[in-house]
Amino acid sequence: MLISCPKCSAVYQVPDGQIPADGKKFKCAECGEVWFVRPIVETKEEKPAPVAVPVKNQDVSRETAQVKSQVVRPEITQEDDLAQMFNRLSQDTKGLFGDKEQKSSLRSRLKRKLTLLFSPLMINCIILLVIFAFTIFIGYANRYELVSALPQLENFYNKMGVESIYKGRGLVFQNVMARNVERHGRLFVEVSGKVANQSSMTSAVLPIKATLLRSDGTIESETVKILTLDKLESGFNALFHILLPDNTLEEKKVILVFDAESLPQSAEKAKKFSDKE
């Protein structure tokens, strides 16, 4: 501990333990001054208590508004920053990830898609679709042969709206004969014969159009005959009989053709047309 003479300011160093708690007298060796010295007691510094300063109401409200603005404004700014950050995350990922991360993400997505595409389930589905499409194509391309071999398939193709029987293919006239006859006081030319299917497929029977021509090439009469059979299988035949009105007994010529344009719209009309004689 350092002490100094109050008269001449001489400084002396005294050990801390030599000064009792109630103090001790010292005499200056320079000037002979005697003074009383007490030990220094260290005390903690106490912070001064805050002093309330009265202010006017206007100043309080202004200061309060300033405090509120200082408290609220940072929160609003933080929300705006969060909104901007989420917008950036949802719209612009290029600024958040490097080229390597983007390429790695693209590769991983592509790998997942390829894995899903070439998974066993997808491969089986693709194989089944290919087999189904191939079966449909084969069934459509060979529908005439299939119906000829299995006539029951005709209804299936008809429901699908697909023609499955050839119309008039392989049909020929055989044993055709014509003669003059009289019926109910009128003259007719009677034409008879048979229609044969010489092809290897089932064929739909078309109406027979018979034309009676005079010697000069003009038409004497004309009629269409629809047979009761709607189709002929391979190697089968059907008989037909047609009457053509004839006004004279002169020599004439009969022409027979299959006419697809004369097909009726319904089976009922076809029956009435075939039985009108």
Side-chain angles (χ1 to χ4, degrees):
M1 177 179 175
L2 297 177
I3 61 175
S4 63
C5 176
K7 186 175 181 180
C8 65
S9 300
V11 178
Y12 300 92
Q13 184 174 4
V14 180
D16 293 338
Q18 289 187 0
I19 302 176
D22 54 351
K24 184 179 179 181
K25 290 183 179 180
F26 287 86
K27 183 177 179 181
C28 180
E30 297 292 331
C31 63
E33 180 68 18
V34 177
W35 76 94
F36 189 81
V37 179
R38 295 179 184 276
I40 299 175
V41 180
E42 295 181 359
T43 59
K44 295 183 179 180
E45 294 181 1
E46 294 182 359
K47 294 183 179 180
V51 179
V53 180
V55 294
K56 295 182 180 179
N57 292 336
Q58 184 177 1
D59 295 335
V60 171
S61 60
R62 184 180 303 170
E63 190 172 355
T64 306
Q66 184 176 2
V67 171
K68 288 183 179 180
S69 63
Q70 290 177 357
V71 173
V72 175
R73 189 172 299 154
E75 294 180 357
I76 296 175
T77 305
Q78 186 177 6
E79 292 180 359
D80 293 341
D81 292 341
L82 288 174
Q84 292 177 3
M85 183 181 69
F86 283 117
N87 289 334
R88 185 181 179 190
L89 283 172
S90 60
Q91 296 179 3
D92 186 12
T93 58
K94 294 182 179 179
L96 299 175
F97 303 99
D99 294 338
K100 293 184 179 179
E101 287 78 2
Q102 290 182 9
K103 291 180 180 178
S104 177
S105 178
L106 290 174
R107 283 196 297 268
S108 61
R109 288 199 298 268
L110 181 60
K111 185 177 180 180
R112 285 196 299 270
K113 291 181 179 179
L114 291 176
T115 303
L116 179 62
L117 180 62
F118 292 101
S119 62
L121 177 62
M122 290 298 296
I123 291 175
N124 292 334
C125 291
I126 292 173
I127 292 174
L128 290 176
L129 287 176
V130 171
I131 293 174
F132 178 76
F134 183 75
T135 303
I136 293 296
F137 174 76
I138 294 298
Y140 178 79
N142 300 278
R143 59 192 183 278
Y144 300 107
E145 291 82 356
L146 292 175
V147 172
S148 296
L150 297 172
Q152 296 83 359
L153 292 176
E154 182 183 357
N155 293 331
F156 170 75
Y157 284 106
N158 289 338
K159 291 180 181 179
M160 298 294 292
V162 177
E163 180 182 336
S164 59
I165 297 179
Y166 286 116
K167 293 182 178 180
R169 181 176 179 179
L171 298 182
V172 295
F173 295 105
Q174 293 180 348
N175 303 330
V176 178
M177 294 185 298
R179 64 174 183 165
N180 293 103
V181 296
E182 184 179 353
R183 299 281 178 88
H184 307 291
R186 293 181 59 188
L187 296 176
F188 292 91
V189 174
E190 184 184 57
V191 183
S192 61
K194 63 182 180 180
V195 176
N197 183 4
Q198 295 182 346
S199 69
S200 60
M201 306 288 179
T202 300
S203 179
V205 179
L206 297 176
I208 301 173
K209 184 177 182 181
T211 304
L212 183 62
L213 297 177
R214 302 186 187 95
S215 57
D216 59 357
T218 59
I219 298 176
E220 176 72 23
S221 62
E222 191 174 64
T223 187
V224 176
K225 175 71 174 181
I226 297 178
L227 301 183
T228 55
L229 292 175
D230 59 346
K231 58 185 176 181
L232 277 177
E233 297 180 6
S234 175
F236 284 76
N237 56 65
L239 300 177
F240 69 91
H241 176 265
I242 303 174
L243 289 177
L244 289 167
D246 187 13
N247 295 325
T248 65
L249 295 177
E250 297 177 359
E251 185 178 356
K252 298 180 179 65
K253 181 169 60 175
V254 177
I255 298 177
L256 300 176
V257 295
F258 293 104
D259 187 13
E261 297 180 357
S262 300
L263 282 171
Q265 298 297 323
S266 64
E268 184 179 357
K269 289 183 178 180
K271 187 175 187 305
K272 290 182 179 179
F273 194 30
S274 63
D275 295 342
K276 71 179 181 179
E277 297 176 355

